[in-house]
Amino acid sequence: MNDTPLRVLVVDDDEEDFLILRDLLADYPQGRFELDWVGTLEAGVAALRANAHDVFLVDYHLGPDNGMDLVRLAVAEHSAHRPVIMLTGQGNPEVDREALAAGASDYLVKGSIDAEKLARSLRYAAERSRQIAQIEDGKRRYRLLFELNPFPTWVYDTATFRFVAANDAMVANYGYDREELQRMSVMDIRDPDEAGRLREFLAGWGNRSGNAGVWRHRRKDGSLLWADITTHSIELDGKRCRMVIAHDITRQRAAQEQLLLLQRAVESSMNGIVIADAQAPDMPIIYVNPSFERMTGYTAEQAIGRNCRFLQGEERNQPELEILRRTLRGGGDCNVILRNFRSDGELFWNHLFISPVRDEAGTLTHFVGIQNDLTERRQVEAELAYAANHDPVTGLPRFPILEAALGGLLDDESAEVSLLFIDLDHFHAINESMGHVIGDEALRILAGRMSEVLGGPGYLARFAGDEFVAVVPHATREQVLATAEALRATVAQPIEGDGYRLFLTASVGIARSPEHGTSGMDLLRRAEAAMTRAKGQGRDGVCEFSAAQMQELEDRLVLGARLREAITRNELELHYQPQLDAGDRRVTGFEALVRWNSPELGRVPPGRFIPIAEALGLMPEVGLWVLNEACRQLRAWLDQGFGGFTVAVNFSAQQLQRPDIVPLVADALARHGVPGRMLEIELTESSLMENVERVQVRLAELKALGVSLSLDDFGTGYSSLAYLKQFSLDKLKIDRSFVKDLPENSADSAIARTIVAVGHELKMVVAAEGVETEEQALFLRQIGCDELQGFHFGRPAAAAEVAGLLPRA
């Protein structure tokens, strides 16, 4: 244990606060501290530059000055190795954020400081500054190592493969001068077949660092050079690059395996590194680095020769151990978080990454483990950070965390990355019938099961509600489909609890990079669209994103954005299709049909933009425009002396559910001076079924305005007489699908006769749409149909073109 006391300077204009802090630390049994005091910002700045203290405790208010200035000065003068902890009299989240953003190591509230918290904060700040100083020193040594390294060393841009830098050893060994190298890529020092092998290798290598095996290079004079390559991902001048160290082993290839192992073993790391022999019984440890010794408290002599399980102590029933065992049996890689114990028995959380090492023949020879001690995270931020980044129910990362990791994978343009969108089918019924406690427990169980399928929780996030998102990197289409099926199958396994047994299913959508998108949000939207298609196909299934869905999404994005502006830019117009009395063929009304004439896209068919408007929730806005335009045109026709007819406008389900729809209709009629009897509102069967009681009230209020109500496309939806009699409707419209084969089709004839009979029994006018022949018109008149509409009598046309059909008042 280090007996050197920690030197602390308190910068506070109140000496009494200094004395309190000094007394707190004097009574603290663990650790020694020496406290000095200054009362002004000026004295604090002088002390900072004198470099005589390890940590600075600075009051936020220093008389007329602000202690935050001292924090900024420490950062500006590169004094991060002298950490500053901000003190304040009262807790303030804004001051907290400002202090941490300015570079403070911690933020403490005077009234809530105890000896243990103060001592821990001081020790943490001092230790963190020491580590930063070590890192900075390491960077300086790293640069020196690059220039003076006796091995050929170079850096290349991972996007273009072009050389960015090369050391003297590379120039000497390969025969190219630096000007030549600047015009070359890493492919130029290889034979063509090696260049192809390199591209394939890098596609699977990703962002990993370490030994990349032995490669065949060519010098400028054409001579062969065998190089044992070690590579590291770095960032240089804002570009993602890779540094390569080439060890010329042309004369030593016989010792290749030993050199490869030594090269990997000597890699320096702040994390603990352990290497195990995969071919020896029980996979004994053959190497540990100094960080492993510091982290675990075990020396290399105590660890080498033992299986890594000794770190688990008696904690042998950890769920993630099974993931680890499967990985070791299968020779794969994984990352797990384990409860381990140091040599003194202290628990620490070990985030362990396991990777296999194979020889040139592909034989598994060793496992390399990288340990990251998660125990000593920032004490002040730990709970807040966890709550912000993890779902409280399942413990899984929230999607932004997974999205950031996904973005890192997608930075490699050649990488194949798949995103899976998993939605639990009808999960809301669990919460509604059994309560959220059981629902949350089910989510926790399913999250654990899916994490096991994916090889650890690092590849799964809870998106929202009963939706999850998973990432499957570096896998073929067949492997991804198998993973998706495994996820679906694990969800389908029963969930048993105290007095209940649940059976759930899941719909899974898949999107792959790069063919379905190159950004996280692109893949998310497309995987969700594929999941929606899986639900439409009956749920409990897996569906890949398709080219048709790609076109549909592009349509939604392009048309949706422009449709929002179409109303304000006067791009919409109404066409009117006549409706005639089936007996004397006089015009009784018109159906108003919206059309879109876009300057950029031309005339967009309604069948293309109406579904998009419905999907994006734009139908209420479009419908309101149609209502007002129809009323405006009615007023114009009335002023020209026409009358005795109606104009029908279509209402969507979204429009009918609006709480203000009745006032909007009343306002349109009043503003244009149109009698309610001249306006007909057409509804679909599905719109009537959404909240039946509310719709009954809404229709009664519309009827009170004097407007008439018709039911469009009758026979294609619910067609329930029990429901039909509950609504005060004036007209039934026989759908065109029952009209097109009349009178030859006997089934359609029977259906048409039935609809006419039902409508008349309920005191409704019965109209037929889609009439295209005289034979159809005559048959419909014979069976009692009251009104006819269709291309046989006229196609939809602009208001000016149908003026000749208007009856006089």
Side-chain angles (χ1 to χ4, degrees):
M1 181 175 179
N2 189 356
D3 292 331
T4 304
L6 195 66
R7 300 166 298 172
V8 181
L9 179 67
V10 178
V11 184
D12 195 321
D13 58 356
D14 189 343
E15 186 178 6
E16 185 177 345
D17 286 346
F18 160 71
L19 297 175
I20 292 172
L21 294 173
R22 187 185 64 184
D23 292 344
L24 276 174
L25 292 176
D27 294 335
Y28 189 67
Q30 300 178 13
R32 294 173 54 203
F33 303 90
E34 289 183 359
L35 270 67
D36 297 320
W37 170 73
V38 295
T40 66
L41 177 62
E42 181 180 2
V45 170
L48 179 70
R49 291 170 174 165
N51 202 20
H53 295 86
D54 299 307
V55 185
F56 291 79
L57 284 168
V58 181
D59 191 12
Y60 183 70
H61 294 291
L62 292 172
D65 298 315
N66 189 325
M68 201 70 70
D69 293 336
L70 188 61
V71 177
R72 297 188 180 98
L73 181 65
V75 174
E77 294 190 354
H78 305 288
S79 300
H81 58 287
R82 287 294 177 266
V84 180
I85 297 174
M86 184 60 62
L87 294 171
T88 185
Q90 294 181 344
N92 187 322
E94 292 297 328
V95 175
D96 188 354
R97 286 191 290 269
E98 181 185 3
L100 295 178
S105 297
D106 208 342
Y107 169 86
L108 299 174
V109 180
K110 293 179 181 179
S112 62
I113 300 175
D114 57 27
E116 182 179 357
K117 180 185 293 185
L118 178 59
R120 183 174 61 241
S121 182
L122 290 170
R123 288 201 307 270
Y124 172 77
E127 176 61 18
R128 180 173 177 272
S129 68
R130 183 187 65 79
Q131 292 176 355
I132 290 174
Q134 287 180 343
I135 292 171
E136 291 176 349
D137 182 61
K139 289 179 180 178
R140 289 191 294 271
R141 295 189 183 197
Y142 206 61
R143 296 189 192 100
L144 185 62
L145 177 63
F146 179 82
E147 298 297 336
L148 300 182
N149 196 330
F151 297 113
T153 305
W154 61 86
V155 176
Y156 70 90
D157 187 329
T158 58
T160 64
F161 298 110
R162 297 182 68 87
F163 288 109
V164 176
N167 72 346
D168 292 340
M170 188 199 181
V171 172
N173 275 268
Y174 284 75
Y176 297 98
D177 60 38
R178 282 191 167 81
E179 289 71 21
E180 289 176 306
L181 289 170
Q182 287 177 355
R183 298 190 296 270
M184 297 167 58
S185 78
V186 294
M187 303 301 174
D188 297 328
I189 62 173
R190 291 167 168 81
D191 291 333
D193 59 332
E194 280 288 278
R197 177 189 165 212
L198 176 62
R199 291 183 184 276
E200 182 179 349
F201 173 81
L202 291 176
W205 183 254
N207 292 323
R208 287 182 285 173
S209 295
N211 186 271
V214 176
W215 295 82
R216 190 174 69 246
H217 291 176
R218 291 285 179 184
R219 298 185 178 92
K220 183 178 180 179
D221 62 7
S223 61
L224 179 67
L225 181 149
W226 288 96
D228 187 358
I229 297 298
T230 300
T231 179
H232 303 270
S233 293
I234 63 173
E235 185 170 321
L236 189 64
D237 297 330
K239 296 180 180 178
R240 296 182 67 84
C241 298
R242 188 167 286 278
M243 188 180 79
V244 177
I245 302 174
H247 184 197
D248 184 356
I249 60 166
T250 308
R251 299 178 181 177
Q252 300 91 16
R253 289 198 67 202
Q256 182 180 17
E257 291 185 5
Q258 180 182 1
L259 290 175
L260 177 62
L261 183 57
L262 290 174
Q263 184 69 33
R264 185 177 282 270
V266 297
E267 290 176 359
S268 62
S269 175
M270 295 296 293
N271 296 325
I273 296 179
V274 56
I275 300 177
D277 189 339
Q279 296 185 335
D282 208 28
M283 296 185 187
I285 297 172
I286 63 170
Y287 172 82
V288 295
N289 71 342
S291 292
F292 173 93
E293 295 179 297
R294 290 192 297 271
M295 185 183 302
T296 66
Y298 290 98
T299 65
E301 291 76 13
Q302 291 173 314
I304 290 176
R306 304 173 69 180
N307 184 283
C308 288
R309 73 173 68 90
F310 77 90
L311 293 174
Q312 300 162 16
E314 299 300 322
E315 295 280 344
R316 299 296 174 86
N317 295 322
Q318 302 177 50
E320 292 202 342
L321 285 176
E322 183 55 35
I323 299 173
L324 179 59
R325 295 181 187 114
R326 286 203 306 267
T327 297
L328 295 176
R329 288 195 299 267
D333 54 15
C334 73
N335 74 93
V336 291
I337 299 176
L338 302 174
R339 295 188 300 276
N340 283 174
F341 295 88
R342 308 186 207 278
S343 60
D344 61 1
E346 180 186 0
L347 170 71
F348 74 99
W349 291 94
N350 180 9
H351 194 179
L352 177 64
F353 295 79
I354 294 291
S355 295
V357 180
R358 301 180 185 276
D359 60 18
E360 283 188 290
T363 302
L364 176 65
T365 59
H366 301 83
F367 278 104
V368 176
I370 300 177
Q371 298 177 318
N372 184 17
D373 187 352
L374 301 183
T375 308
E376 294 186 4
R377 289 182 176 180
R378 293 181 180 179
Q379 299 297 322
V380 176
E381 299 175 358
E383 292 184 5
L384 291 176
Y386 188 88
N389 296 328
H390 291 76
D391 171 49
V393 175
T394 64
L396 292 176
R398 296 184 189 274
F399 178 69
I401 303 302
L402 188 64
E403 183 182 20
L406 176 61
L409 292 170
L410 294 175
D411 284 341
D412 181 358
E413 296 179 0
S414 63
E416 292 186 356
V417 182
S418 297
L419 187 141
L420 281 57
F421 197 101
I422 306 145
D423 184 277
L424 304 181
D425 301 324
H426 300 304
F427 187 78
H428 62 88
I430 302 298
N431 286 330
E432 291 172 1
S433 62
M434 307 188 73
H436 286 277
V437 173
I438 292 178
D440 288 351
E441 179 63 21
L443 290 174
R444 279 191 290 273
I445 292 172
L446 293 179
R449 289 181 184 175
M450 291 189 288
S451 293
E452 289 187 11
V453 170
L454 294 165
Y459 301 113
L460 180 69
R462 186 182 181 192
F463 186 71
D466 56 4
E467 298 169 339
F468 297 83
V469 174
V471 171
V472 181
H474 313 305
T476 65
R477 175 178 177 269
E478 291 72 20
Q479 290 170 331
V480 174
L481 285 171
T483 299
E485 284 293 343
L487 290 170
R488 186 196 62 77
T490 197
V491 170
Q493 295 176 12
I495 298 175
E496 299 188 12
D498 186 11
Y500 67 86
R501 195 176 192 212
L502 304 179
F503 293 89
L504 294 170
T505 60
S507 300
V508 184
I510 302 173
R512 290 173 57 81
S513 171
E515 58 261 42
H516 298 150
T518 55
S519 73
M521 291 311 298
D522 282 345
L523 293 180
L524 177 68
R525 285 193 296 266
R526 287 156 192 177
E528 185 177 11
M531 179 277 296
T532 302
R533 187 153 64 96
K535 283 188 175 294
Q537 294 174 351
R539 295 181 169 83
D540 191 20
V542 174
C543 187
E544 291 184 281
F545 187 72
S546 66
Q549 286 179 295
M550 178 79 80
Q551 181 61 48
E552 181 183 336
L553 282 179
E554 289 179 358
D555 261 12
R556 180 176 296 189
L557 291 174
V558 174
L559 295 184
R562 292 180 177 173
L563 186 57
R564 293 181 187 276
E565 302 175 357
I567 298 175
T568 57
R569 292 165 58 178
N570 296 318
E571 296 177 9
L572 299 182
E573 57 186 41
L574 286 184
H575 283 192
Y576 299 87
Q577 186 173 32
Q579 299 169 330
L580 288 76
D581 183 278
D584 57 18
R585 304 290 176 89
R586 62 182 175 82
V587 173
T588 59
F590 298 86
E591 181 178 0
L593 301 167
V594 65
R595 297 292 185 264
W596 180 15
N597 188 12
S598 169
E600 297 88 0
L601 305 172
R603 291 193 174 275
V604 184
R608 187 176 173 199
F609 75 82
I610 291 296
I612 292 174
E614 291 174 340
L616 296 178
L618 295 176
M619 282 309 297
E621 188 175 355
V622 174
L624 182 59
W625 181 89
V626 171
L627 172 66
N628 281 286
E629 176 60 17
C631 289
R632 184 201 65 76
Q633 185 60 58
L634 269 172
R635 180 69 264 166
W637 283 334
L638 286 170
D639 292 342
Q640 296 170 25
F642 299 110
F645 62 93
T646 61
V647 170
V649 296
N650 291 280
F651 267 26
S652 68
Q654 296 174 5
Q655 204 171 352
L656 188 61
Q657 293 298 325
R658 285 186 58 155
D660 59 348
I661 187 61
V662 175
L664 288 173
V665 174
D667 176 71
L669 293 171
R671 182 154 30 89
H672 297 288
V674 174
R677 66 179 181 279
M678 295 189 72
L679 179 67
E680 180 179 308
I681 295 176
E682 288 195 4
L683 307 161
T684 62
E685 293 183 52
S686 59
S687 67
L688 298 181
M689 294 303 103
E690 292 189 19
N691 198 322
V692 173
E693 293 182 359
R694 180 190 299 168
V695 168
Q696 285 180 308
V697 174
R698 197 69 42 82
L699 296 185
E701 293 173 341
L702 288 171
K703 290 276 287 184
L705 299 177
V707 304
S708 58
L709 305 174
S710 67
L711 183 59
D712 196 11
D713 301 335
F714 184 72
T716 62
Y718 293 87
S719 303
S720 171
L721 299 181
Y723 281 119
L724 187 61
K725 70 180 183 179
Q726 299 182 43
F727 304 109
S728 301
L729 300 172
D730 302 291
K731 182 188 293 185
L732 284 183
K733 296 187 73 175
I734 303 174
D735 184 69
R736 66 183 67 248
S737 64
F738 302 123
V739 174
K740 65 183 180 67
D741 292 329
L742 293 177
E744 291 82 3
N745 189 292
S746 59
D748 287 344
S749 299
I751 291 173
R753 285 191 177 93
T754 301
I755 294 175
V756 170
V758 169
H760 288 167
E761 284 297 322
L762 294 175
K763 310 302 180 186
M764 298 180 192
V765 172
V766 180
E769 56 185 359
V771 180
E772 298 185 358
T773 67
E774 181 63 22
E775 290 77 9
Q776 292 170 347
L778 291 174
F779 176 81
L780 289 165
R781 176 70 187 102
Q782 291 171 0
I783 65 173
C785 192
D786 302 299
E787 291 183 353
L788 305 175
Q789 177 183 342
F791 290 170
H792 183 60
F793 306 107
R795 293 176 177 270
E801 298 177 32
V802 301
L805 302 175
L806 295 170
R808 289 285 176 180

